[in-house]
PDB file of all heavy atoms in Angstrom:
ATOM      1  N   LEU M  70      19.026  20.541  31.838  1.00 98.00           N
ATOM      2  CA  LEU M  70      17.855  19.659  31.867  1.00 98.00           C
ATOM      3  C   LEU M  70      16.956  19.935  33.068  1.00 98.00           C
ATOM      4  O   LEU M  70      15.862  19.367  33.155  1.00 98.00           O
ATOM      5  CB  LEU M  70      18.290  18.192  31.849  1.00 98.00           C
ATOM      6  CG  LEU M  70      19.057  17.721  30.610  1.00 98.00           C
ATOM      7  CD1 LEU M  70      19.190  16.203  30.609  1.00 98.00           C
ATOM      8  CD2 LEU M  70      18.423  18.211  29.314  1.00 98.00           C
ATOM      9  N   LEU M  71      17.389  20.816  33.965  1.00 98.00           N
ATOM     10  CA  LEU M  71      16.522  21.240  35.065  1.00 98.00           C
ATOM     11  C   LEU M  71      15.511  22.301  34.631  1.00 98.00           C
ATOM     12  O   LEU M  71      14.582  22.617  35.378  1.00 98.00           O
ATOM     13  CB  LEU M  71      17.354  21.786  36.224  1.00 98.00           C
ATOM     14  CG  LEU M  71      17.839  20.764  37.254  1.00 98.00           C
ATOM     15  CD1 LEU M  71      18.819  21.415  38.222  1.00 98.00           C
ATOM     16  CD2 LEU M  71      16.673  20.166  38.019  1.00 98.00           C
ATOM     17  N   CYS M  72      15.691  22.851  33.442  1.00 98.00           N
ATOM     18  CA  CYS M  72      14.728  23.817  32.926  1.00 98.00           C
ATOM     19  C   CYS M  72      13.459  23.074  32.512  1.00 98.00           C
ATOM     20  O   CYS M  72      13.514  22.127  31.723  1.00 98.00           O
ATOM     21  CB  CYS M  72      15.315  24.563  31.736  1.00 98.00           C
ATOM     22  SG  CYS M  72      14.209  25.783  31.032  1.00 98.00           S
ATOM     23  N   LYS M  73      12.318  23.497  33.035  1.00 97.00           N
ATOM     24  CA  LYS M  73      11.073  22.764  32.775  1.00 97.00           C
ATOM     25  C   LYS M  73      10.664  22.815  31.308  1.00 97.00           C
ATOM     26  O   LYS M  73       9.902  21.961  30.837  1.00 97.00           O
ATOM     27  CB  LYS M  73       9.937  23.307  33.646  1.00 97.00           C
ATOM     28  CG  LYS M  73       9.530  24.744  33.357  1.00 97.00           C
ATOM     29  CD  LYS M  73       8.422  25.192  34.288  1.00 97.00           C
ATOM     30  CE  LYS M  73       7.983  26.628  34.008  1.00 97.00           C
ATOM     31  NZ  LYS M  73       7.415  26.787  32.669  1.00 97.00           N
ATOM     32  N   ASP M  74      11.177  23.807  30.559  1.00 97.00           N
ATOM     33  CA  ASP M  74      10.821  23.946  29.149  1.00 97.00           C
ATOM     34  C   ASP M  74      11.913  23.444  28.214  1.00 97.00           C
ATOM     35  O   ASP M  74      11.916  23.785  27.024  1.00 97.00           O
ATOM     36  CB  ASP M  74      10.534  25.422  28.829  1.00 97.00           C
ATOM     37  CG  ASP M  74       9.229  25.909  29.428  1.00 97.00           C
ATOM     38  OD1 ASP M  74       8.241  25.139  29.395  1.00 97.00           O
ATOM     39  OD2 ASP M  74       9.195  27.044  29.942  1.00 97.00           O
ATOM     40  N   ILE M  75      12.824  22.609  28.713  1.00 97.00           N
ATOM     41  CA  ILE M  75      13.952  22.207  27.880  1.00 97.00           C
ATOM     42  C   ILE M  75      13.495  21.435  26.648  1.00 97.00           C
ATOM     43  O   ILE M  75      14.081  21.590  25.553  1.00 97.00           O
ATOM     44  CB  ILE M  75      14.989  21.395  28.699  1.00 97.00           C
ATOM     45  CG1 ILE M  75      16.295  21.231  27.899  1.00 97.00           C
ATOM     46  CG2 ILE M  75      14.421  20.059  29.145  1.00 97.00           C
ATOM     47  CD1 ILE M  75      17.024  22.512  27.608  1.00 97.00           C
ATOM     48  N   ILE M  76      12.458  20.630  26.741  1.00 97.00           N
ATOM     49  CA  ILE M  76      12.013  19.873  25.566  1.00 97.00           C
ATOM     50  C   ILE M  76      11.435  20.792  24.496  1.00 97.00           C
ATOM     51  O   ILE M  76      11.864  20.717  23.326  1.00 97.00           O
ATOM     52  CB  ILE M  76      11.040  18.759  25.976  1.00 97.00           C
ATOM     53  CG1 ILE M  76      11.798  17.665  26.749  1.00 97.00           C
ATOM     54  CG2 ILE M  76      10.353  18.152  24.746  1.00 97.00           C
ATOM     55  CD1 ILE M  76      10.938  16.524  27.250  1.00 97.00           C
ATOM     56  N   PRO M  77      10.501  21.688  24.809  1.00 97.00           N
ATOM     57  CA  PRO M  77      10.064  22.626  23.760  1.00 97.00           C
ATOM     58  C   PRO M  77      11.180  23.556  23.278  1.00 97.00           C
ATOM     59  O   PRO M  77      11.173  23.977  22.119  1.00 97.00           O
ATOM     60  CB  PRO M  77       8.923  23.407  24.414  1.00 97.00           C
ATOM     61  CG  PRO M  77       9.032  23.164  25.874  1.00 97.00           C
ATOM     62  CD  PRO M  77       9.660  21.824  26.016  1.00 97.00           C
ATOM     63  N   MET M  78      12.151  23.860  24.125  1.00 97.00           N
ATOM     64  CA  MET M  78      13.304  24.642  23.677  1.00 97.00           C
ATOM     65  C   MET M  78      14.075  23.888  22.604  1.00 97.00           C
ATOM     66  O   MET M  78      14.451  24.448  21.561  1.00 97.00           O
ATOM     67  CB  MET M  78      14.229  24.962  24.852  1.00 97.00           C
ATOM     68  CG  MET M  78      13.703  26.012  25.807  1.00 97.00           C
ATOM     69  SD  MET M  78      14.808  26.223  27.245  1.00 97.00           S
ATOM     70  CE  MET M  78      14.036  27.637  28.049  1.00 97.00           C
ATOM     71  N   LEU M  79      14.324  22.607  22.845  1.00 97.00           N
ATOM     72  CA  LEU M  79      15.045  21.796  21.867  1.00 97.00           C
ATOM     73  C   LEU M  79      14.241  21.648  20.584  1.00 97.00           C
ATOM     74  O   LEU M  79      14.808  21.606  19.481  1.00 97.00           O
ATOM     75  CB  LEU M  79      15.376  20.427  22.469  1.00 97.00           C
ATOM     76  CG  LEU M  79      16.430  20.440  23.581  1.00 97.00           C
ATOM     77  CD1 LEU M  79      16.499  19.095  24.290  1.00 97.00           C
ATOM     78  CD2 LEU M  79      17.801  20.816  23.035  1.00 97.00           C
ATOM     79  N   GLU M  80      12.942  21.578  20.712  1.00 97.00           N
ATOM     80  CA  GLU M  80      12.100  21.515  19.521  1.00 97.00           C
ATOM     81  C   GLU M  80      12.194  22.813  18.718  1.00 97.00           C
ATOM     82  O   GLU M  80      12.207  22.794  17.485  1.00 97.00           O
ATOM     83  CB  GLU M  80      10.647  21.250  19.917  1.00 97.00           C
ATOM     84  CG  GLU M  80      10.406  19.855  20.481  1.00 97.00           C
ATOM     85  CD  GLU M  80       9.004  19.683  21.048  1.00 97.00           C
ATOM     86  OE1 GLU M  80       8.286  20.703  21.195  1.00 97.00           O
ATOM     87  OE2 GLU M  80       8.634  18.536  21.362  1.00 97.00           O
ATOM     88  N   TYR M  81      12.300  23.935  19.408  1.00 97.00           N
ATOM     89  CA  TYR M  81      12.305  25.231  18.742  1.00 97.00           C
ATOM     90  C   TYR M  81      13.595  25.487  17.954  1.00 97.00           C
ATOM     91  O   TYR M  81      13.582  26.211  16.948  1.00 97.00           O
ATOM     92  CB  TYR M  81      12.088  26.358  19.762  1.00 97.00           C
ATOM     93  CG  TYR M  81      11.734  27.677  19.128  1.00 97.00           C
ATOM     94  CD1 TYR M  81      10.479  27.875  18.559  1.00 97.00           C
ATOM     95  CD2 TYR M  81      12.650  28.722  19.084  1.00 97.00           C
ATOM     96  CE1 TYR M  81      10.147  29.080  17.955  1.00 97.00           C
ATOM     97  CE2 TYR M  81      12.326  29.930  18.492  1.00 97.00           C
ATOM     98  CZ  TYR M  81      11.079  30.106  17.930  1.00 97.00           C
ATOM     99  OH  TYR M  81      10.747  31.309  17.331  1.00 97.00           O
ATOM    100  N   VAL M  82      14.702  24.921  18.398  1.00 97.00           N
ATOM    101  CA  VAL M  82      15.977  25.164  17.712  1.00 97.00           C
ATOM    102  C   VAL M  82      16.213  24.206  16.554  1.00 97.00           C
ATOM    103  O   VAL M  82      17.184  24.354  15.812  1.00 97.00           O
ATOM    104  CB  VAL M  82      17.180  25.068  18.682  1.00 97.00           C
ATOM    105  CG1 VAL M  82      17.099  26.121  19.761  1.00 97.00           C
ATOM    106  CG2 VAL M  82      17.276  23.681  19.308  1.00 97.00           C
ATOM    107  N   ARG M  83      15.339  23.256  16.356  1.00 95.00           N
ATOM    108  CA  ARG M  83      15.546  22.220  15.346  1.00 95.00           C
ATOM    109  C   ARG M  83      15.764  22.835  13.961  1.00 95.00           C
ATOM    110  O   ARG M  83      14.965  23.617  13.473  1.00 95.00           O
ATOM    111  CB  ARG M  83      14.343  21.282  15.312  1.00 95.00           C
ATOM    112  CG  ARG M  83      14.558  20.020  14.493  1.00 95.00           C
ATOM    113  CD  ARG M  83      13.345  19.118  14.597  1.00 95.00           C
ATOM    114  NE  ARG M  83      13.055  18.763  15.991  1.00 95.00           N
ATOM    115  CZ  ARG M  83      11.885  18.259  16.393  1.00 95.00           C
ATOM    116  NH1 ARG M  83      10.889  18.098  15.526  1.00 95.00           N
ATOM    117  NH2 ARG M  83      11.714  17.956  17.668  1.00 95.00           N
ATOM    118  N   GLY M  84      16.896  22.480  13.363  1.00 92.00           N
ATOM    119  CA  GLY M  84      17.182  22.913  12.004  1.00 92.00           C
ATOM    120  C   GLY M  84      17.636  24.347  11.853  1.00 92.00           C
ATOM    121  O   GLY M  84      17.804  24.825  10.724  1.00 92.00           O
ATOM    122  N   LYS M  85      17.884  25.059  12.935  1.00 96.00           N
ATOM    123  CA  LYS M  85      18.185  26.493  12.835  1.00 96.00           C
ATOM    124  C   LYS M  85      19.675  26.812  12.851  1.00 96.00           C
ATOM    125  O   LYS M  85      20.068  27.894  12.405  1.00 96.00           O
ATOM    126  CB  LYS M  85      17.500  27.254  13.984  1.00 96.00           C
ATOM    127  CG  LYS M  85      15.981  27.372  13.844  1.00 96.00           C
ATOM    128  CD  LYS M  85      15.409  28.264  14.941  1.00 96.00           C
ATOM    129  CE  LYS M  85      13.955  28.639  14.663  1.00 96.00           C
ATOM    130  NZ  LYS M  85      13.039  27.521  14.869  1.00 96.00           N
ATOM    131  N   PHE M  86      20.526  25.915  13.372  1.00 96.00           N
ATOM    132  CA  PHE M  86      21.935  26.249  13.540  1.00 96.00           C
ATOM    133  C   PHE M  86      22.831  25.130  13.028  1.00 96.00           C
ATOM    134  O   PHE M  86      22.457  23.953  13.068  1.00 96.00           O
ATOM    135  CB  PHE M  86      22.245  26.526  15.017  1.00 96.00           C
ATOM    136  CG  PHE M  86      21.404  27.627  15.608  1.00 96.00           C
ATOM    137  CD1 PHE M  86      20.322  27.333  16.426  1.00 96.00           C
ATOM    138  CD2 PHE M  86      21.667  28.952  15.308  1.00 96.00           C
ATOM    139  CE1 PHE M  86      19.532  28.335  16.966  1.00 96.00           C
ATOM    140  CE2 PHE M  86      20.883  29.968  15.835  1.00 96.00           C
ATOM    141  CZ  PHE M  86      19.813  29.663  16.661  1.00 96.00           C
ATOM    142  N   LEU M  87      24.021  25.513  12.573  1.00 95.00           N
ATOM    143  CA  LEU M  87      24.965  24.513  12.094  1.00 95.00           C
ATOM    144  C   LEU M  87      25.517  23.667  13.235  1.00 95.00           C
ATOM    145  O   LEU M  87      25.750  22.475  13.078  1.00 95.00           O
ATOM    146  CB  LEU M  87      26.133  25.207  11.379  1.00 95.00           C
ATOM    147  CG  LEU M  87      25.866  25.738   9.977  1.00 95.00           C
ATOM    148  CD1 LEU M  87      27.092  26.472   9.463  1.00 95.00           C
ATOM    149  CD2 LEU M  87      25.481  24.607   9.035  1.00 95.00           C
ATOM    150  N   ASN M  88      25.760  24.301  14.373  1.00 95.00           N
ATOM    151  CA  ASN M  88      26.358  23.554  15.480  1.00 95.00           C
ATOM    152  C   ASN M  88      25.718  23.989  16.784  1.00 95.00           C
ATOM    153  O   ASN M  88      26.015  25.058  17.313  1.00 95.00           O
ATOM    154  CB  ASN M  88      27.875  23.780  15.532  1.00 95.00           C
ATOM    155  CG  ASN M  88      28.574  22.696  16.339  1.00 95.00           C
ATOM    156  OD1 ASN M  88      27.983  22.096  17.231  1.00 95.00           O
ATOM    157  ND2 ASN M  88      29.831  22.441  16.018  1.00 95.00           N
ATOM    158  N   LEU M  89      24.828  23.173  17.291  1.00 97.00           N
ATOM    159  CA  LEU M  89      24.198  23.407  18.585  1.00 97.00           C
ATOM    160  C   LEU M  89      24.719  22.353  19.551  1.00 97.00           C
ATOM    161  O   LEU M  89      24.600  21.149  19.293  1.00 97.00           O
ATOM    162  CB  LEU M  89      22.684  23.315  18.482  1.00 97.00           C
ATOM    163  CG  LEU M  89      21.940  23.503  19.809  1.00 97.00           C
ATOM    164  CD1 LEU M  89      21.910  24.974  20.194  1.00 97.00           C
ATOM    165  CD2 LEU M  89      20.526  22.966  19.722  1.00 97.00           C
ATOM    166  N   LYS M  90      25.303  22.812  20.642  1.00 97.00           N
ATOM    167  CA  LYS M  90      25.870  21.902  21.634  1.00 97.00           C
ATOM    168  C   LYS M  90      25.112  22.043  22.938  1.00 97.00           C
ATOM    169  O   LYS M  90      24.649  23.137  23.289  1.00 97.00           O
ATOM    170  CB  LYS M  90      27.354  22.226  21.864  1.00 97.00           C
ATOM    171  CG  LYS M  90      28.057  21.273  22.823  1.00 97.00           C
ATOM    172  CD  LYS M  90      29.533  21.597  22.947  1.00 97.00           C
ATOM    173  CE  LYS M  90      29.781  22.780  23.847  1.00 97.00           C
ATOM    174  NZ  LYS M  90      31.211  22.952  24.203  1.00 97.00           N
ATOM    175  N   ILE M  91      24.970  20.943  23.662  1.00 98.00           N
ATOM    176  CA  ILE M  91      24.386  20.985  24.997  1.00 98.00           C
ATOM    177  C   ILE M  91      25.272  20.184  25.936  1.00 98.00           C
ATOM    178  O   ILE M  91      25.792  19.120  25.574  1.00 98.00           O
ATOM    179  CB  ILE M  91      22.935  20.448  25.005  1.00 98.00           C
ATOM    180  CG1 ILE M  91      22.296  20.640  26.389  1.00 98.00           C
ATOM    181  CG2 ILE M  91      22.864  19.008  24.547  1.00 98.00           C
ATOM    182  CD1 ILE M  91      20.799  20.407  26.409  1.00 98.00           C
ATOM    183  N   ASN M  92      25.499  20.727  27.127  1.00 97.00           N
ATOM    184  CA  ASN M  92      26.247  20.043  28.179  1.00 97.00           C
ATOM    185  C   ASN M  92      25.290  19.640  29.282  1.00 97.00           C
ATOM    186  O   ASN M  92      24.508  20.471  29.758  1.00 97.00           O
ATOM    187  CB  ASN M  92      27.314  20.954  28.773  1.00 97.00           C
ATOM    188  CG  ASN M  92      28.450  21.234  27.826  1.00 97.00           C
ATOM    189  OD1 ASN M  92      28.248  21.787  26.756  1.00 97.00           O
ATOM    190  ND2 ASN M  92      29.658  20.872  28.218  1.00 97.00           N
ATOM    191  N   THR M  93      25.359  18.394  29.699  1.00 98.00           N
ATOM    192  CA  THR M  93      24.486  17.913  30.764  1.00 98.00           C
ATOM    193  C   THR M  93      25.218  16.899  31.628  1.00 98.00           C
ATOM    194  O   THR M  93      26.068  16.145  31.139  1.00 98.00           O
ATOM    195  CB  THR M  93      23.211  17.276  30.186  1.00 98.00           C
ATOM    196  OG1 THR M  93      22.443  16.691  31.255  1.00 98.00           O
ATOM    197  CG2 THR M  93      23.516  16.204  29.156  1.00 98.00           C
ATOM    198  N   ASN M  94      24.871  16.869  32.914  1.00 97.00           N
ATOM    199  CA  ASN M  94      25.449  15.838  33.784  1.00 97.00           C
ATOM    200  C   ASN M  94      24.751  14.497  33.619  1.00 97.00           C
ATOM    201  O   ASN M  94      25.155  13.512  34.240  1.00 97.00           O
ATOM    202  CB  ASN M  94      25.448  16.283  35.251  1.00 97.00           C
ATOM    203  CG  ASN M  94      24.057  16.556  35.803  1.00 97.00           C
ATOM    204  OD1 ASN M  94      23.064  15.915  35.441  1.00 97.00           O
ATOM    205  ND2 ASN M  94      23.969  17.523  36.728  1.00 97.00           N
ATOM    206  N   ALA M  95      23.699  14.447  32.806  1.00 97.00           N
ATOM    207  CA  ALA M  95      22.992  13.221  32.408  1.00 97.00           C
ATOM    208  C   ALA M  95      22.192  12.581  33.531  1.00 97.00           C
ATOM    209  O   ALA M  95      21.558  11.544  33.328  1.00 97.00           O
ATOM    210  CB  ALA M  95      23.955  12.188  31.811  1.00 97.00           C
ATOM    211  N   SER M  96      22.155  13.199  34.697  1.00 97.00           N
ATOM    212  CA  SER M  96      21.438  12.600  35.820  1.00 97.00           C
ATOM    213  C   SER M  96      19.924  12.616  35.613  1.00 97.00           C
ATOM    214  O   SER M  96      19.208  11.801  36.203  1.00 97.00           O
ATOM    215  CB  SER M  96      21.785  13.330  37.116  1.00 97.00           C
ATOM    216  OG  SER M  96      21.315  14.667  37.085  1.00 97.00           O
ATOM    217  N   LEU M  97      19.444  13.550  34.783  1.00 97.00           N
ATOM    218  CA  LEU M  97      18.002  13.714  34.583  1.00 97.00           C
ATOM    219  C   LEU M  97      17.539  13.212  33.227  1.00 97.00           C
ATOM    220  O   LEU M  97      16.384  13.419  32.852  1.00 97.00           O
ATOM    221  CB  LEU M  97      17.635  15.197  34.743  1.00 97.00           C
ATOM    222  CG  LEU M  97      18.002  15.816  36.093  1.00 97.00           C
ATOM    223  CD1 LEU M  97      17.779  17.323  36.071  1.00 97.00           C
ATOM    224  CD2 LEU M  97      17.200  15.179  37.214  1.00 97.00           C
ATOM    225  N   LEU M  98      18.417  12.559  32.502  1.00 97.00           N
ATOM    226  CA  LEU M  98      18.035  12.017  31.199  1.00 97.00           C
ATOM    227  C   LEU M  98      16.950  10.954  31.363  1.00 97.00           C
ATOM    228  O   LEU M  98      17.076  10.041  32.183  1.00 97.00           O
ATOM    229  CB  LEU M  98      19.245  11.376  30.515  1.00 97.00           C
ATOM    230  CG  LEU M  98      20.079  12.210  29.546  1.00 97.00           C
ATOM    231  CD1 LEU M  98      21.171  11.330  28.951  1.00 97.00           C
ATOM    232  CD2 LEU M  98      19.224  12.804  28.439  1.00 97.00           C
ATOM    233  N   ASP M  99      15.896  11.086  30.578  1.00 97.00           N
ATOM    234  CA  ASP M  99      14.893  10.038  30.488  1.00 97.00           C
ATOM    235  C   ASP M  99      14.575   9.844  29.015  1.00 97.00           C
ATOM    236  O   ASP M  99      15.176  10.487  28.137  1.00 97.00           O
ATOM    237  CB  ASP M  99      13.643  10.376  31.302  1.00 97.00           C
ATOM    238  CG  ASP M  99      13.027  11.715  30.916  1.00 97.00           C
ATOM    239  OD1 ASP M  99      13.249  12.182  29.773  1.00 97.00           O
ATOM    240  OD2 ASP M  99      12.324  12.302  31.762  1.00 97.00           O
ATOM    241  N   GLU M 100      13.621   8.988  28.713  1.00 98.00           N
ATOM    242  CA  GLU M 100      13.340   8.669  27.312  1.00 98.00           C
ATOM    243  C   GLU M 100      12.893   9.901  26.528  1.00 98.00           C
ATOM    244  O   GLU M 100      13.327  10.130  25.397  1.00 98.00           O
ATOM    245  CB  GLU M 100      12.285   7.568  27.228  1.00 98.00           C
ATOM    246  CG  GLU M 100      12.115   7.012  25.826  1.00 98.00           C
ATOM    247  CD  GLU M 100      11.331   5.711  25.801  1.00 98.00           C
ATOM    248  OE1 GLU M 100      11.140   5.104  26.873  1.00 98.00           O
ATOM    249  OE2 GLU M 100      10.908   5.319  24.698  1.00 98.00           O
ATOM    250  N   ALA M 101      12.030  10.721  27.130  1.00 97.00           N
ATOM    251  CA  ALA M 101      11.530  11.908  26.432  1.00 97.00           C
ATOM    252  C   ALA M 101      12.662  12.886  26.129  1.00 97.00           C
ATOM    253  O   ALA M 101      12.735  13.455  25.026  1.00 97.00           O
ATOM    254  CB  ALA M 101      10.449  12.592  27.265  1.00 97.00           C
ATOM    255  N   LYS M 102      13.557  13.092  27.083  1.00 98.00           N
ATOM    256  CA  LYS M 102      14.667  14.020  26.861  1.00 98.00           C
ATOM    257  C   LYS M 102      15.658  13.449  25.856  1.00 98.00           C
ATOM    258  O   LYS M 102      16.250  14.199  25.062  1.00 98.00           O
ATOM    259  CB  LYS M 102      15.354  14.340  28.188  1.00 98.00           C
ATOM    260  CG  LYS M 102      14.493  15.166  29.149  1.00 98.00           C
ATOM    261  CD  LYS M 102      15.267  15.538  30.399  1.00 98.00           C
ATOM    262  CE  LYS M 102      14.433  16.405  31.347  1.00 98.00           C
ATOM    263  NZ  LYS M 102      13.375  15.623  32.006  1.00 98.00           N
ATOM    264  N   CYS M 103      15.856  12.141  25.855  1.00 98.00           N
ATOM    265  CA  CYS M 103      16.728  11.524  24.850  1.00 98.00           C
ATOM    266  C   CYS M 103      16.200  11.798  23.447  1.00 98.00           C
ATOM    267  O   CYS M 103      16.950  12.190  22.547  1.00 98.00           O
ATOM    268  CB  CYS M 103      16.835  10.022  25.086  1.00 98.00           C
ATOM    269  SG  CYS M 103      17.827   9.539  26.522  1.00 98.00           S
ATOM    270  N   HIS M 104      14.899  11.607  23.257  1.00 97.00           N
ATOM    271  CA  HIS M 104      14.312  11.860  21.942  1.00 97.00           C
ATOM    272  C   HIS M 104      14.415  13.336  21.575  1.00 97.00           C
ATOM    273  O   HIS M 104      14.659  13.676  20.408  1.00 97.00           O
ATOM    274  CB  HIS M 104      12.855  11.404  21.921  1.00 97.00           C
ATOM    275  CG  HIS M 104      12.691   9.917  21.777  1.00 97.00           C
ATOM    276  ND1 HIS M 104      12.935   9.254  20.592  1.00 97.00           N
ATOM    277  CD2 HIS M 104      12.318   8.968  22.680  1.00 97.00           C
ATOM    278  CE1 HIS M 104      12.709   7.953  20.762  1.00 97.00           C
ATOM    279  NE2 HIS M 104      12.335   7.753  22.021  1.00 97.00           N
ATOM    280  N   ALA M 105      14.238  14.216  22.539  1.00 97.00           N
ATOM    281  CA  ALA M 105      14.350  15.655  22.260  1.00 97.00           C
ATOM    282  C   ALA M 105      15.767  16.015  21.816  1.00 97.00           C
ATOM    283  O   ALA M 105      15.948  16.825  20.901  1.00 97.00           O
ATOM    284  CB  ALA M 105      13.965  16.453  23.502  1.00 97.00           C
ATOM    285  N   LEU M 106      16.759  15.413  22.439  1.00 97.00           N
ATOM    286  CA  LEU M 106      18.142  15.674  22.067  1.00 97.00           C
ATOM    287  C   LEU M 106      18.482  15.078  20.702  1.00 97.00           C
ATOM    288  O   LEU M 106      19.353  15.603  19.984  1.00 97.00           O
ATOM    289  CB  LEU M 106      19.090  15.094  23.122  1.00 97.00           C
ATOM    290  CG  LEU M 106      19.117  15.791  24.480  1.00 97.00           C
ATOM    291  CD1 LEU M 106      19.877  14.950  25.494  1.00 97.00           C
ATOM    292  CD2 LEU M 106      19.755  17.175  24.362  1.00 97.00           C
TER     293      LEU M 106
END
């Protein structure tokens, strides 16, 4: 979530893979990132 392009990255992978996993320490979660996930 420290990657400045993480939201458009998550948008780009939408619907492309059977199992996409992300690991985060959750310290930077905000409303926009929650919706992206």
